[in-house]
Amino acid sequence: MDNIQKNFETRFTGWAFILAAILLWFGWALSPHHIGEYIVASDFEAIGESVWTWIWIYRIHIFGWVTMGISLFALVAATTRKPYRVVILPGAGMVIIGTFTLAIANAYFYNFGAWGVGETAGKTAMEIEAFVNDILYTNQYVTCFIRFGRVFSGVGLVLLGFTFIKWHMVSKLLGWFTALLGLAAMVVIMGISDNFEIYKPLFHVKVLWLVAMGAVILKNGINLPKIEE
């Protein structure tokens, strides 16, 4: 039996998803410079050309990840019912873990990118290269955070997609979109060794998923069917 919920909870959740998409994408699109898989020597010169613009835009992007976490916490709060909570809680939890892992990794790039501009100002190319070598190990750790943040999110999205499809909580099309996005993230990260460039489009797909989640929840609410246990 259908039990469509359209109330303050669903409105807050829907708008949180949309706000996360806006902050994430515009924080990326408006940035004057994008750091790649690692921080490299040329990043500091590029960031230094408009350092304060880069800092503020990057803050917007990081808060996009934070807002995505908030939207998922809100989704959990609005859908904690038996029996589907046993799947939606770990699913959303894995996406939240992955999301905040990505937020922390991006905060590292933000901090080291801005700090490195001052540290490398006026130095020779050889001195800048030595500075980059000094942070190599931290670079490696952060790249690991990014990759596993994406994998953790992918696992959670598969579980969320399964929940949406099995209990018709949102449209089945959105359920399949969720599950396939999660599967694609896992396959690209774990199945392809040199994956950074290949993974880039999935960031934009994730933003589209956030918009779709927000729009569907605002328009249709969330279906919490009453199921006999």
Side-chain angles (χ1 to χ4, degrees), residues 58-125:
Y58 215 137
R59 287 172 178 172
I60 292 172
H61 182 71
I62 292 170
F63 270 92
W65 292 117
V66 173
T67 308
M68 180 176 170
I70 291 170
S71 70
L72 288 157
F73 275 120
L75 178 67
V76 169
T79 57
T80 305
R81 310 282 194 280
K82 291 183 178 181
Y84 32 84
R85 68 185 182 188
V86 74
V87 184
I88 202 166
L89 275 170
M94 287 302 298
V95 181
I96 289 167
I97 290 169
T99 298
F100 280 102
T101 301
L102 290 168
I104 292 168
N106 278 274
Y108 160 81
F109 282 152
Y110 159 79
N111 180 69
F112 271 69
W115 172 67
V117 170
E119 290 296 307
T120 58
K123 291 188 176 180
T124 66

Side-chain angles (χ1 to χ4, degrees), residues 1-5 81-84 167 223-229:
M1 182 184 297
D2 287 343
N3 180 24
I4 304 295
Q5 302 290 311
R81 310 282 194 280
K82 291 183 178 181
Y84 32 84
W167 285 288
N223 181 33
L224 302 176
K226 295 177 180 177
I227 300 170
E228 302 239 349
E229 300 181 60

Side-chain angles (χ1 to χ4, degrees), residues 39 44 108 112 115 119 123 126-141:
I39 290 180
F44 300 119
Y108 160 81
F112 271 69
W115 172 67
E119 290 296 307
K123 291 188 176 180
M126 188 175 296
E127 289 172 328
I128 294 173
E129 196 62 40
F131 174 77
V132 172
N133 288 336
D134 283 342
I135 63 172
L136 177 61
Y137 290 111
T138 310
N139 250 336
Q140 291 285 352
Y141 289 140

Side-chain angles (χ1 to χ4, degrees), residues 76-202:
V76 169
T79 57
T80 305
R81 310 282 194 280
K82 291 183 178 181
Y84 32 84
R85 68 185 182 188
V86 74
V87 184
I88 202 166
L89 275 170
M94 287 302 298
V95 181
I96 289 167
I97 290 169
T99 298
F100 280 102
T101 301
L102 290 168
I104 292 168
N106 278 274
Y108 160 81
F109 282 152
Y110 159 79
N111 180 69
F112 271 69
W115 172 67
V117 170
E119 290 296 307
T120 58
K123 291 188 176 180
T124 66
M126 188 175 296
E127 289 172 328
I128 294 173
E129 196 62 40
F131 174 77
V132 172
N133 288 336
D134 283 342
I135 63 172
L136 177 61
Y137 290 111
T138 310
N139 250 336
Q140 291 285 352
Y141 289 140
V142 173
T143 300
C144 183
F145 284 169
I146 289 175
R147 292 183 179 182
F148 276 93
R150 291 167 174 171
V151 172
F152 297 157
S153 297
V155 173
L157 287 169
V158 171
L159 290 174
L160 282 180
F162 171 79
T163 309
F164 294 160
I165 295 166
K166 179 173 176 58
W167 285 288
H168 311 285
M169 299 180 78
V170 295
S171 70
K172 278 197 172 183
L173 182 61
L174 181 54
W176 281 109
F177 182 13
T178 304
L180 291 175
L181 173 58
L183 186 61
M186 292 163 58
V187 168
V188 170
I189 293 298
M190 302 182 73
I192 304 173
S193 56
D194 186 13
N195 52 59
F196 183 71
E197 292 298 324
I198 297 173
Y199 189 90
K200 276 184 178 180
L202 287 179

